[in-house]
Amino acid sequence: AQAVVLNALTFCGQAPQTNLQAMLESPEPQLRHAAADALRFLPSRERDNLIARALASPDASVQVRACMASAAAGDVDAWRSIVTRAKQLDLESAQRLPLLAALGSTAEHALLFAALNNPELRPQALWALGFAGTRAACETCLHEIKNGRDVTQAITALAMITGLKPAELLRQADADDSTPDPDAIAQWWASNRERIEPDVRYLNGEVVTLEVLRSALEHGPTRCRHIFALELSVRSRGALHLQTRALCKQQREQLARLASLDARELHDASKTLGVRPLARQ
C-alpha cells in the first residue's frame, strides 16, 4: 500500500512527507523502487543524501531509478553518474541508453554503438539511436538494415531522425509484401545524406530545437514522448514535469509550461550539467 501511495505522489509531482531512507532499504522490492522514483521531487538538500545512499544500494533497479530521478530533478552530478554506470553495458544499462542518445555527444554515443554488440541490448540501442539524431546514427542504422539485423528497429530509428517514410519504399516484386526495400532505402539515403550535417542532431529531418521537441510532445509517437519529457526535465533542471500518462487535460496544462522555458536558459543549463546543447548556437 505504501508503494502505491508513493507512486501516486510521484505521478502527481509531489514530494512525500515520509522516511524514504527506510523505504529505500525495505525488504520489499516494490517499496524500494517506488521510494527511488519519489526522490525526484524532494528538496535538493534531502535528495542529495538519499540519492547517494540509493546509488550504493545492492538493488540494481534502485540504482537506475535513483539515477534517473536525480537527472530529472536537474542534479549537476547526475549526468556523470548515468554515463559511468552505462559503461557497464549490462541489462541495467538499457534504461539509460535513450538519455545517453538524447543528451550525449560523440563520446556517449560511442556507448550506444558498443551496445549493439550485446544481443540483449541491441533492440534498445537501435531504438535509442533515433534520439541521437546524428548522421553517424543514420549510417549505423543503414548498416544494420543492409545486414538484415533488427531491421524494424533500425528503420524506425532512421525514420525518426530523417523523416523518411518507409511505407513509400516497399519492395516492388510482390504487391502483398509490406516490407521496406533495403536497396530503395539505401538509394533514398544517397540522395538525402548531405542534408543531414555531421555532429548536428535531427528529429524528423529538422535540427532539434525547443520548438521541435515541443511539437514532438504534442504530435509525435506515443512511445517517444516519455523520453522527450524526461529530456526536457533534465535540461530545465526539474522545472518541467510532464506526466505522459496523465489525462489529456492535465497534459495540456503541463505542456503549457513549455512556453515559459527559454531556449537560452536551457542552453546554459546544458553547459552546467555537461550535456549536449539542443542545437548549435
Side-chain angles (χ1 to χ4, degrees):
Q2 289 178 309
V4 170
V5 172
L6 280 180
N7 286 331
L9 288 169
T10 301
F11 185 93
C12 296
Q14 298 180 24
Q17 302 297 314
T18 188
N19 183 359
L20 281 184
Q21 180 176 327
M23 294 180 178
L24 286 168
E25 298 168 356
S26 167
E28 297 293 336
Q30 285 182 312
L31 187 53
R32 294 198 301 270
H33 300 168
D37 290 336
L39 295 173
R40 173 176 178 177
F41 297 106
L42 287 180
S44 58
R45 287 185 180 179
E46 295 178 48
R47 187 174 63 247
D48 289 346
N49 179 51
L50 291 175
I51 289 287
R53 288 177 174 270
L55 292 178
S57 170
D59 184 335
S61 186
V62 168
Q63 295 177 28
V64 172
R65 291 166 184 268
C67 235
M68 303 301 260
S70 180
D75 293 338
V76 172
D77 294 331
W79 177 243
R80 188 182 307 111
S81 179
I82 287 174
V83 174
T84 298
R85 290 166 188 272
K87 289 179 180 177
Q88 298 172 19
L89 293 180
D90 54 16
L91 281 177
E92 297 299 334
S93 300
Q95 296 180 51
R96 300 180 175 98
L97 296 181
L99 266 191
L100 285 180
L103 298 171
S105 53
T106 304
E108 291 78 29
H109 289 176
L111 291 173
L112 297 177
F113 301 135
L116 293 172
N117 296 319
N118 182 335
E120 294 180 316
L121 290 178
R122 277 181 57 79
Q124 187 75 1
L126 273 172
W127 182 60
L129 285 178
F131 296 96
T134 61
R135 182 191 284 184
C138 290
E139 292 181 335
T140 298
C141 290
L142 286 158
H143 178 76
E144 299 301 310
I145 293 167
K146 181 179 179 180
N147 288 301
R149 296 183 302 192
D150 296 300
V151 171
T152 299
Q153 289 93 336
I155 289 175
T156 299
L158 181 65
M160 182 175 169
I161 298 169
T162 64
L164 165 73
K165 294 180 171 49
E168 297 176 0
L169 298 172
L170 301 180
R171 295 181 187 274
Q172 301 300 315
D174 185 348
D176 295 327
D177 190 347
S178 59
T179 305
D181 184 348
D183 291 336
I185 291 174
Q187 291 173 11
W188 180 92
W189 175 247
S191 300
N192 288 271
R193 181 178 185 274
E194 293 308 313
R195 67 183 179 85
I196 303 296
E197 296 183 50
D199 302 321
V200 178
R201 183 183 174 202
Y202 291 83
L203 177 62
N204 292 324
E206 297 183 78
V207 175
V208 177
T209 61
L210 178 57
E211 290 71 25
V212 168
L213 283 184
R214 180 185 294 129
S215 177
L217 282 167
E218 293 174 346
H219 310 293
T222 302
R223 186 186 180 197
C224 300
R225 296 179 74 246
H226 171 69
I227 301 301
F228 291 134
L230 182 57
E231 176 186 352
L232 281 174
S233 184
V234 174
R235 291 187 184 281
S236 66
R237 303 200 64 185
L240 176 71
H241 170 54
L242 173 62
Q243 176 47 265
T244 56
R245 293 182 179 179
L247 296 173
C248 290
K249 181 177 183 295
Q250 292 172 292
Q251 289 197 50
R252 290 192 189 99
E253 292 172 352
Q254 292 169 347
L255 277 168
R257 298 174 194 166
L258 276 170
S260 67
L261 296 182
D262 180 82
R264 172 53 60 180
E265 290 178 4
L266 289 188
H267 180 77
D268 293 343
S270 295
K271 291 171 63 177
T272 299
L273 294 167
V275 303
R276 181 184 187 183
L278 269 178
R280 291 182 309 184
Q281 300 294 324

